[in-house]
Amino acid sequence: MPKYNNPRKTWQYSTEFKVRAVKMSYQPDIKSSQVAEGLGIHPFMLSRWRKEYREGHLQGDGKRRVGLSKKRKVKSAKQITENAQLKKEIDRLKRENDLPKKVATVSGGSTSERFGFIHRYGKEIGVRNLCRWMQVSPSGYYAWRQRGTTDRALSDQQLLKQITKIFDDSHGRYGSPRVYESLRQSGYRIAKKRVERLMREAGLKARVTKVTRRMPGLKRFIAKGENRLLARDAATAPDQVWVADVTYIKLQGKWTYLATIMDQYSRRILGWSLSYSRTTELTTTALRYVIKKGRNPKNVIFHTDRGVEFTGSVFQSELVKYGMHHSVNRPGHCTDNAFMESFYHSLKGELIRQTYFKGIEELRSELSRYINKFYNTVRLHSGIGYMSPINYEQMAA
């Protein structure tokens, strides 16, 4: 096991914080769940604090506890809901609650990094409170501030501006690996860990979300078909192997279905189709779109899963018409189509999740913008040497 010189602490809420939270929860016309949400804590935790307060185990100021009698004097709803001071107190406690999360990112860093963190959040939270959290002296911080900005700090400031620009241009989709590669391709000669540190200190975190895949019913699978990719090496040029799949996207309580076709060699999305119905019409529309764009090579291996939207007679006729050879996953081996699984993971994490769409047309427009203006042309793919699919194809030409 590695030895950690500065192990991360388990942060705890102060007694003062708990007492104030409990007192707020006992105000008339304010629900405990609203207080918990405002402070960013779990309702069960607030419920436990309320119990400890009633039993006398939680008293932070020595004053008389809030009366719990049902006959206590009730304030008007207007006095509570419009009380600006109470709202301000909730905001302040919420900032204090968020402080351990921010401190944890630099608590194991150098003294200079911790001073820089205090300088950034001092006005918002308070210098003395931050010094206490970061285990440094206020006098040391003020002495550090009087020394002026070092050449290294100035360099970090300039570099951070470029990092922020790359991060914003990707709409928050780039983490430190892709930001680093973008900088390197722009001529910067820097270390990966420096980019990681600057992004961490600036709070620049890529869109990351857990993506789950809805599994179709087993009755939709057809047993026939073989995996032609097992008998050959990976594609060495465009238009040798195309892969396709269908995924589910929930839109205002209804399922929509996205069929996508990708060139396995370059990872380029060749065509796609979106519909409320998962049928062969969905997949044939995507294939015909690719052909219409002028991409119609012969003897392409077209790999999919075993869903009926790909194995149905209508779609099979289209493959024969364009001289393509169908290949399917082995039963129970969804990783045989890992390229498409990876794309859908990126799509949902970078665009779909945490985004509200007014309707299917807006979803269609955003998908077009993501695929044509970002994924195919700009996004750096680790599997092809941190190049965009179109650039990778042009290099192979």
Side-chain angles (χ1 to χ4, degrees):
M1 292 291 291
K3 181 179 179 181
Y4 295 96
N5 296 323
N6 294 295
R8 182 172 294 181
K9 297 181 179 179
T10 300
W11 300 101
Q12 297 180 347
Y13 298 98
S14 66
T15 303
E16 180 186 4
F17 179 90
K18 296 178 182 180
V19 171
R20 290 179 181 175
V22 170
K23 288 185 177 181
M24 290 182 201
S25 70
Y26 281 127
Q27 296 290 340
D29 301 318
I30 295 182
K31 296 181 180 180
S32 298
S33 58
Q34 293 174 332
V35 176
E37 182 180 0
L39 298 178
I41 60 178
H42 198 284
F44 289 167
M45 183 179 293
L46 179 57
S47 178
R48 187 176 75 247
W49 294 349
R50 285 162 58 99
K51 180 181 178 182
E52 293 175 356
Y53 193 82
R54 290 195 300 269
E55 295 174 351
H57 301 307
L58 186 63
Q59 296 187 30
D61 52 10
K63 297 179 181 179
R64 181 174 60 86
R65 291 181 288 126
V66 176
L68 306 181
S69 172
K70 294 183 180 179
K71 297 182 180 180
R72 66 179 184 269
K73 185 178 180 180
V74 179
K75 297 181 181 180
S76 67
K78 184 177 181 180
Q79 287 177 303
I80 300 302
T81 57
E82 300 299 326
N83 193 330
Q85 185 177 1
L86 180 59
K87 293 180 181 179
K88 184 177 180 180
E89 180 72 4
I90 291 177
D91 290 339
R92 188 184 72 82
L93 289 175
K94 187 176 181 180
R95 288 197 300 269
E96 289 183 1
N97 181 35
D98 291 338
L99 178 59
K101 303 172 188 176
K102 296 178 180 178
V103 170
T105 63
V106 292
S107 58
S110 64
T111 303
S112 180
E113 289 177 3
R114 283 182 276 178
F115 283 155
F117 183 89
I118 294 170
H119 184 69
R120 181 176 181 183
Y121 293 101
K123 291 183 179 180
E124 178 183 351
I125 301 172
V127 171
R128 291 192 174 275
N129 287 336
L130 283 173
C131 287
R132 175 167 50 84
W133 279 92
M134 304 297 292
Q135 297 181 347
V136 293
S137 65
S139 60
Y141 162 71
Y142 288 115
W144 171 85
R145 199 172 67 173
Q146 292 296 327
R147 293 174 196 152
T149 307
T150 63
D151 293 340
R152 178 70 170 185
L154 289 172
S155 176
D156 280 351
Q157 291 176 8
Q158 295 298 321
L159 181 58
L160 181 59
K161 290 181 180 179
Q162 187 63 23
I163 289 174
T164 304
K165 182 179 183 303
I166 294 173
F167 183 82
D168 291 341
D169 289 345
S170 72
H171 301 283
R173 295 162 181 157
Y174 275 10
S176 59
R178 286 187 171 84
V179 171
Y180 166 76
E181 288 296 333
S182 296
L183 290 169
R184 190 181 65 82
Q185 293 177 17
S186 298
Y188 286 84
R189 294 294 176 263
I190 52 177
K192 286 185 179 180
K193 290 187 176 180
R194 187 180 180 189
V195 176
E196 293 172 1
R197 173 178 62 82
L198 291 175
M199 292 187 66
R200 182 172 62 247
E201 292 176 358
L204 301 179
K205 186 177 181 181
R207 292 182 57 161
V208 178
T209 184
K210 183 178 180 180
V211 175
T212 56
R213 179 175 171 84
R214 180 183 172 92
M215 296 302 295
L218 294 177
K219 293 182 180 179
R220 295 182 62 84
F221 287 103
I222 295 180
K224 66 179 181 179
E226 63 174 324
N227 189 337
R228 298 174 182 268
L229 300 183
L230 299 178
R232 57 161 294 151
D233 296 330
T236 57
D239 299 328
Q240 292 180 353
V241 178
W242 290 359
V243 294
D245 199 2
V246 175
T247 192
Y248 297 71
I249 300 176
K250 202 164 191 178
L251 179 65
Q252 298 179 344
K254 296 181 180 179
W255 288 111
T256 61
Y257 304 93
L258 174 66
T260 313
I261 301 174
M262 171 193 288
D263 186 285
Q264 188 193 67
Y265 172 76
S266 65
R267 315 298 200 270
R268 182 176 182 174
I269 301 302
L270 304 176
W272 56 277
S273 178
L274 181 69
S275 173
Y276 279 117
S277 303
R278 182 174 182 176
T279 62
T280 53
E281 182 180 357
L282 174 71
T283 51
T284 53
T285 299
L287 179 58
R288 289 169 181 169
Y289 176 79
V290 178
I291 302 301
K292 184 179 179 181
K293 289 170 62 178
R295 198 135 177 172
N296 187 20
K298 301 298 181 182
N299 298 320
V300 172
I301 295 180
F302 196 96
H303 185 86
T304 70
D305 61 17
R306 293 175 175 266
V308 294
E309 60 275 0
F310 290 113
T311 55
S313 59
V314 175
F315 189 80
Q316 289 295 311
S317 298
E318 291 292 309
L319 293 181
V320 172
K321 176 181 177 181
Y322 298 120
M324 298 180 182
H325 307 288
H326 196 204
S327 170
V328 294
N329 291 351
R330 292 168 293 173
H333 290 74
C334 62
T335 53
D336 286 351
N337 206 4
F339 292 91
M340 287 307 309
E341 298 289 346
S342 177
F343 167 72
Y344 285 141
H345 184 276
S346 300
L347 171 71
K348 293 183 178 180
E350 297 176 354
L351 176 66
I352 303 301
R353 295 293 188 265
Q354 302 175 355
T355 303
Y356 174 78
F357 302 100
K358 296 179 181 179
I360 193 169
E361 292 306 319
E362 182 179 5
L363 174 59
R364 195 188 310 276
S365 175
E366 291 300 320
L367 285 171
S368 177
R369 182 179 293 107
Y370 175 83
I371 293 173
N372 298 325
K373 302 297 184 181
F374 179 70
Y375 191 88
N376 281 343
T377 58
V378 177
R379 188 180 188 274
L380 303 182
H381 295 252
S382 58
I384 53 176
Y386 285 100
M387 299 179 66
S388 70
I390 289 182
N391 287 342
Y392 195 69
E393 285 189 356
Q394 292 174 347
M395 184 187 69

